[in-house]
Amino acid sequence: MDWHRIRSDFPVLDQQVHGHPLVYLDSAASSQKPRAVINTLSHYYERDNANVHRALHELSNRATEAFEAARKKVARFVGAASEDEIIFTRGTTEGINLVANTWGAQNLKAGDVILYTGMEHHSNLVPWQLLAQRTGATLKHIPVLDDGTLDPASIDTLLNEQVKLFAFVHISNSLGTINPAKELCARAKAVGAVTLLDGAQSVGHLPIDVQDLGCDFLVFSGHKMCAPTGIGGLYGRMELLERMLPWHGGGEMIAEVRLDGSTYKQPPHRFEAGTPDIAGVIGLGAAIDYLEAVGMENIHRHDANLSHYAVQQMREVPDIRILGPQSGPRGSLVAFHFDWAHPHDLVEFANSHGIAMRGGHHCTMPLMKRFKVPGTTRASFYFYNTIDEINRLVEVLHAARKFFT
Ligand code: C6P
């Protein structure tokens, strides 16, 4: 693979920041966009812009065709059985809230258990907490071990017949842990629990096949996989989707509206009230075309090489504690802690050297508490990053340690 040529597809990466070439190591927060996606958005607004599913004129037909073609692409990309199992959302957060407010509100009652894990992003905690308050369901979580993996003994005891929903993250945004999603979904299924997989950090980083994984719901964000912000997806198994009532009411989600009540369209349209983010959806389709052209296996391998190399090199920096798995596979990010500076000070220092990283709790406060750290600094990678950039990061970490101590 010619990764340098691929990198040149991302115009934003070709710039200086504070007199240094930009090193963008914050893709777990949001990825950069290739020219193919940017051009698709321009083309859409310059040539095809119109509302979808509503009119019969040429522009509306073109917009509707591109919009529904993107749904097919997403379905293929995540291995769904049908494009009708794909609902467009604003992102992972909205997808989880949709499931909590539809499937959750309809199916959970007092005494039922919602199981999640100690490494969830706030978006996979708070919606369930709100739902538990409304329904009287009980919240339980699988603790995280020191090495950043889920405690197998707790899985044995907690994943039982009382669990109605098991919601867990595929790749932790704060540890890099890759959870054994297929095995966990099978175990949940064996006790009759529905599964929701948070794919925010995995979709677009490794090949995903929901049918092989066996999850009931998968949520993800387009902006973390080369697509625009404000667009994402929810995959739901049709058997569940067709029994779920709508969450938002409005135009386009209805079959018939009377003054005394309404009937609703079949999924997915039942869950897409109002004018959607048309350009975002078409941009997501373009991002998928782009990722598939690079090859998901290639992307996964390159990501894995980068994070493996980064862990090895960062271990050489004195007084740094890397969170998450110390060996074996990890997602394309490395989060670390040190006592010699606040994460925000290090992020500022790195920024003055042209390096973009994130510092803080990464929307995983319970995990920070678990590891007894106020926050961490996180370098996250994507296939446009290079080994040279990791070398620059490590140089700057050495310099920062000297500067702050
Ligand atoms: N994590 C990060 O810097 P949204 O904001 O809806 O696109 O994604 C939410 C979300 C859910 N789950 C996981 C595992 C995530 O990593 C994220 C987003 C970003 O780590 C922003 S906090």
Side-chain angles (χ1 to χ4, degrees):
M1 295 297 292
D2 185 351
W3 292 108
H4 283 277
R5 189 192 53 72
I6 287 169
R7 180 186 167 86
S8 70
D9 291 339
F10 293 79
V12 78
L13 297 176
D14 185 19
Q15 61 175 297
Q16 301 266 317
V17 169
H18 300 302
H20 301 272
L22 168 66
V23 175
Y24 186 78
L25 302 180
D26 198 18
S27 293
S30 202
S31 75
Q32 295 302 345
K33 322 300 173 201
R35 207 172 273 106
V37 170
I38 299 166
N39 289 348
T40 298
L41 294 177
S42 302
H43 178 89
Y44 168 73
Y45 280 122
E46 283 175 9
R47 305 296 304 164
D48 301 336
N49 178 48
N51 213 328
V52 288
H53 302 135
R54 283 158 171 83
L56 292 176
H57 58 76
E58 173 65 19
L59 265 54
S60 178
N61 286 343
R62 277 193 230 149
T64 304
E65 250 172 52
F67 184 90
E68 289 303 329
R71 199 189 300 280
K72 284 201 176 92
K73 289 176 193 179
V74 174
R76 193 187 60 231
F77 193 64
V78 300
S82 155
E83 64 265 26
D84 292 341
E85 294 180 321
I86 303 300
I87 295 155
F88 290 120
T89 64
R90 282 191 296 133
T92 303
T93 304
E94 191 174 81
I96 298 171
N97 279 278
L98 192 159
V99 175
N101 284 282
T102 54
W103 182 88
Q106 280 172 252
N107 290 284
L108 294 186
K109 55 180 189 326
D112 290 342
V113 171
I114 300 170
L115 184 63
Y116 43 48
T117 83
M119 64 171 83
E120 298 310 314
H121 186 276
H122 296 165
S123 64
N124 207 18
L125 296 173
V126 185
W128 308 121
Q129 294 167 355
L130 292 169
L131 180 67
Q133 280 169 16
R134 277 165 61 197
T135 59
T138 305
L139 299 164
K140 293 192 179 170
H141 75 273
I142 296 171
V144 178
L145 298 177
D146 288 346
D147 68 357
T149 59
L150 295 174
D151 175 24
S154 301
I155 299 174
D156 289 344
T157 51
L158 292 176
L159 192 48
N160 57 37
E161 276 76 12
Q162 285 172 327
V163 177
K164 290 289 168 298
L165 176 84
F166 182 28
F168 66 96
V169 70
H170 197 179
I171 299 182
S172 159
N173 66 319
S174 291
L175 298 170
T177 310
I178 306 178
N179 284 316
K182 186 172 174 171
E183 181 201 325
L184 292 174
C185 289
R187 293 187 59 172
K189 198 173 176 187
V191 296
V194 162
T195 45
L196 179 139
L197 186 60
D198 174 350
Q201 300 293 347
S202 61
V203 178
H205 283 268
L206 36 99
I208 296 284
D209 183 333
V210 285
Q211 294 184 75
D212 182 54
L213 289 169
C215 59
D216 293 302
F217 296 108
L218 168 81
V219 284
F220 63 93
S221 300
H223 69 95
K224 294 186 198 287
M225 46 175 282
C226 296
T229 47
I231 189 66
L234 161 66
Y235 155 82
R237 212 154 48 74
M238 184 48 76
E239 202 188 318
L240 298 176
L241 290 184
E242 58 195 8
R243 280 189 258 135
M244 281 158 47
L245 292 169
W247 176 29
H248 292 156
E252 277 308 304
M253 47 74 73
I254 46 80
E256 190 203 357
V257 179
R258 303 173 310 277
L259 289 175
D260 62 348
S262 305
T263 53
Y264 316 117
K265 279 191 178 148
Q266 291 301 309
H269 302 290
R270 182 187 300 177
F271 304 105
E272 293 176 356
T275 299
D277 179 356
I278 303 164
V281 166
I282 294 170
L284 176 61
I288 288 175
D289 287 342
Y290 180 82
L291 292 173
E292 286 182 336
V294 178
M296 286 311 303
E297 286 290 354
N298 296 329
I299 290 173
H300 177 42
R301 208 170 317 118
H302 188 66
D303 268 13
N305 287 343
L306 290 174
S307 58
H308 179 72
Y309 182 76
V311 168
Q312 273 183 335
Q313 298 304 308
M314 286 164 69
R315 277 216 191 100
E316 305 298 316
V317 182
D319 308 326
I320 271 189
R321 174 181 161 213
I322 294 173
L323 272 71
Q326 299 296 310
S327 60
R330 62 154 57 228
S332 48
L333 60 95
V334 183
F336 50 98
H337 176 70
F338 37 81
D339 289 324
W340 38 267
H342 189 277
H344 288 164
D345 292 331
L346 178 65
V347 166
E348 288 258 322
F349 184 89
N351 180 45
S352 70
H353 290 75
I355 299 180
M357 283 191 291
R358 185 176 172 192
H361 55 64
H362 313 291
C363 299
T364 52
M365 280 187 189
L367 197 59
M368 298 299 116
K369 210 168 164 194
R370 155 70 182 84
F371 283 98
K372 299 190 176 58
V373 293
T376 64
T377 307
R378 184 186 68 187
S380 55
F381 319 112
Y382 210 3
F383 57 97
Y384 40 66
N385 290 123
T386 64
I387 292 286
D388 282 353
E389 289 182 310
I390 292 176
N391 290 336
R392 286 238 357 252
L393 166 68
V394 173
E395 263 169 40
V396 166
L397 290 180
H398 280 288
R401 184 171 169 275
K402 279 204 190 114
F403 179 84
F404 286 110
T405 53

